[in-house]
Amino acid sequence: ANEPAQRGIAVVVLEAGPRFTADDFENDEYAMTAKFGWHDKRVFEGTTEAVAGWPDEPASMCKGLGGTTLHWAAMCPRFLDFELRTRSAYGPIEGADIIDWPLSPAELAPYYDRAEDKMGVSGTHGIPRHRGNNNYRVIAAGARRLGYTRVDANNMAINVEPRDGRNACDQIGFCMQGCTSGAKWSTFNVEIPKAEATGRCEVRPQCMALKIEHDDSGRVSGVVYADPSGAQQMQKARAVCVAGNAIETPRLLLNSASPAFPDGLANAEGAVGRYYMRHMEGFVYAEFERPVRMYRGIQCGGVVRDDCRDDPSRGFVGGIYYFLNGTHLPYCASDLNPHGWGRALSEWIEAYERIAAVCIYGEDLAVATNRVSLHATEKDHYGLPIPVAHVDDHPNELAMRNYGQKTACAFYEAAGARRTHEAYRMPTSHNMGSCRMSEDPRAGVVDKWGRSHQVPNLFVSD
């Protein structure tokens, strides 16, 4: 919205949720999940642990102006070379359908530079890193004792010092609840206000996009949406950029089927909704003799990078990051054992002040059957089919997670942990895929600019 508005182009933003203010943010994890979560009905199927634990909602999204940038932890690692050319680097992998990105590191570099400078990413362009908290010091000590060297306080789009009209970080945690400090970059507090200041961007909150219309030539002509009263309206457009996250974006395109596009808009090759991804994810908790107080400071203000490399001798392809995971007591308790209770869990809760925590992230592989589709019979209150997401874990992902969790346990044991705990997958906010980029129009939905291969004035911009 901001970039075209800055260049003189009139923009309308249709936002399904409300418009928040900074006063709406609370340093309360569950209160904010209830306030800005996307709670519309959806169904998840498959064999992954998150589906078994949360059949209705194993994916976190935000419904409100600012989208999931309200919730994101603000970590900003760049893609590495092998991550942009997975098919060339890994070769064929049974059960996966991986391709190289239609982008190179050299092509992306100037855009990374612009984004990091605009967002004030720590550790880039002369911007200092944040000071490490206790949670960081613990894992850094353990990793270095095991010979790991690429350990730092992370690249965060959270101000170290006042910048671009935003406050410096107050180091109070709760980074994923909207940021009451006003230090974290999000579209809510940076891009949308700047776009509106041009006089060329109109934001319409509580306006849910229902269908994208097209003309006789096959070019999109506008968007049908429900206004705050529920009445349907039509917004004409010369171009449409869909940014509904990796579940609602394909749902909108599939719900935009017409005689000219019987399988959904931009879906000539059947790729819309396919290759849904959400990162390999695991958690490790460790109890120490003395207080750690992991909740103080930035939630994800530290990383171990050494294992983010492609080394198939470890039993999997792809790389792993170990990011800090400093949660407050309610989330920590549910993350440790989301559906359990008893002495074992209560002993961990009692040790909360002495707990350190890390999350392990790696890239899950593109699998054609991991996909977002439309429910055959169930509809939402607008009369549209609700989304169904099918997710199975690929063996590579399970091997990667097992290696990562065992390594993280070793970090903590080297730092003197009394005990460690490996937690399983939670609902994730790292929703990706489902409208993937491709050089070959038969292999994806959009080109390297995010433009639909099939519809020249339709873009996927999230």
Side-chain angles (χ1 to χ4, degrees):
N2 187 25
E3 295 295 327
Q6 295 293 340
R7 288 158 174 78
I9 299 171
V11 179
V12 171
V13 175
L14 300 176
E15 168 55 55
R19 180 164 199 153
F20 297 111
T21 70
D23 292 336
D24 293 314
F25 300 150
E26 303 176 56
N27 288 339
D28 183 319
E29 290 159 327
Y30 278 100
M32 288 309 301
T33 297
K35 187 175 290 187
F36 64 32
W38 189 290
H39 302 301
D40 295 25
K41 181 71 182 293
R42 58 195 173 200
V43 174
F44 270 69
E45 301 172 340
T47 58
T48 188
E49 292 165 326
V51 172
W54 294 268
D56 296 327
E57 194 175 359
S60 300
M61 292 163 47
C62 291
K63 191 172 188 178
L65 191 63
T68 307
T69 65
L70 295 169
H71 167 72
W72 80 310
M75 296 181 288
C76 294
R78 291 192 180 195
F79 274 109
L80 303 178
D81 178 70
F82 74 88
E83 294 174 312
L84 291 171
R85 53 182 191 87
T86 52
R87 183 61 174 80
S88 298
Y90 304 161
I93 297 177
E94 184 177 356
D97 185 11
I98 55 176
I99 60 174
D100 291 349
W101 285 68
L103 291 161
S104 69
E107 285 180 286
L108 280 177
Y111 297 98
Y112 270 127
D113 288 339
R114 285 170 55 188
E116 288 163 346
D117 183 63
K118 170 184 277 197
M119 299 160 76
V121 176
S122 60
T124 72
H125 311 287
I127 302 170
R129 295 191 194 275
H130 290 273
R131 293 171 57 188
N133 60 5
N134 284 354
N135 205 20
Y136 167 71
R137 291 170 184 167
V138 167
I139 198 167
R144 287 169 176 150
R145 285 172 187 170
L146 295 182
Y148 284 69
T149 59
R150 300 182 60 214
V151 185
D152 59 65
N154 217 339
N155 302 115
M156 308 294 298
I158 299 175
N159 279 352
V160 179
E161 50 198 26
R163 180 186 177 93
D164 194 28
R166 289 182 287 133
N167 183 34
C169 179
D170 292 325
Q171 298 288 332
I172 54 177
F174 298 103
C175 302
M176 296 160 67
Q177 282 66 54
C179 185
T180 56
S181 294
K184 184 177 76 170
W185 176 94
S186 72
T187 57
F188 157 82
N189 64 353
V190 179
E191 306 304 325
I192 291 298
K194 289 185 177 181
E196 290 180 306
T198 68
R200 291 183 286 270
C201 176
E202 179 188 351
V203 175
R204 298 179 192 167
Q206 296 181 311
C207 289
M208 176 86 169
L210 306 178
K211 183 178 181 180
I212 301 170
E213 299 279 12
H214 63 83
D215 60 24
D216 293 340
S217 70
R219 296 174 65 88
V220 296
S221 56
V223 178
V224 177
Y225 68 96
D227 69 18
S229 73
Q232 292 194 10
Q233 307 290 347
M234 170 68 174
Q235 173 59 53
K236 294 183 178 181
R238 288 178 290 161
V240 172
C241 299
V242 185
N245 209 299
I247 296 174
E248 290 297 320
T249 286
R251 181 197 179 205
L252 176 59
L253 296 177
L254 294 172
N255 274 327
S256 298
S258 69
F261 300 96
D263 297 320
L265 195 61
N267 195 31
E269 303 297 333
V272 170
R274 291 194 185 272
Y275 313 114
Y276 171 61
M277 301 164 71
R278 70 268 185 253
H279 274 153
M280 178 284 297
E281 181 183 62
F283 299 90
V284 169
Y285 296 85
E287 180 191 353
F288 288 85
E289 180 179 355
R290 300 180 65 184
V292 177
R293 300 187 180 96
M294 64 174 175
Y295 52 85
R296 293 183 177 176
I298 293 174
Q299 281 183 267
C300 298
V303 59
V304 181
R305 306 175 189 266
D306 302 58
D307 276 333
C308 197
R309 66 186 194 280
D310 182 35
D311 179 4
S313 69
R314 298 176 295 184
F316 56 88
V317 297
I320 296 172
Y321 284 116
Y322 305 90
F323 290 116
L324 294 188
N325 181 42
T327 56
H328 290 253
L329 184 55
Y331 263 23
C332 178
S334 65
D335 289 358
L336 282 160
N337 189 348
H339 303 289
W341 192 246
R343 181 178 298 276
L345 179 59
S346 64
E347 286 177 349
W348 275 100
I349 292 173
E350 288 177 348
Y352 174 65
E353 287 276 295
R354 303 189 304 278
I355 291 176
V358 67
C359 48
I360 300 103
Y361 284 124
E363 187 172 14
D364 46 337
L365 299 177
V367 175
T369 53
N370 285 348
R371 63 179 300 192
V372 178
S373 59
L374 301 180
H375 199 283
T377 58
E378 192 163 353
K379 294 180 168 56
D380 66 9
H381 55 289
Y382 298 115
L384 295 174
I386 66 170
V388 179
H390 182 99
V391 184
D392 299 312
D393 293 321
H394 189 278
N396 190 79
E397 182 179 350
L398 298 177
M400 179 185 284
R401 186 178 70 179
N402 182 62
Y403 175 93
Q405 288 187 306
K406 294 295 184 288
T407 303
C409 287
F411 292 161
Y412 286 132
E413 289 161 2
R418 286 178 166 179
R419 56 176 174 158
T420 58
H421 173 74
E422 300 176 28
Y424 63 82
R425 177 175 212 104
M426 298 285 291
T428 181
S429 54
H430 297 193
N431 303 297
M432 302 170 290
S434 75
C435 285
R436 75 174 177 184
M437 291 181 175
S438 64
E439 191 75 45
D440 183 348
R442 296 170 297 179
V445 178
V446 298
D447 65 13
K448 67 180 182 180
W449 301 107
R451 183 197 300 263
S452 163
H453 289 302
Q454 188 181 8
V455 183
N457 62 336
L458 173 69
F459 296 80
V460 175
S461 58
D462 66 344

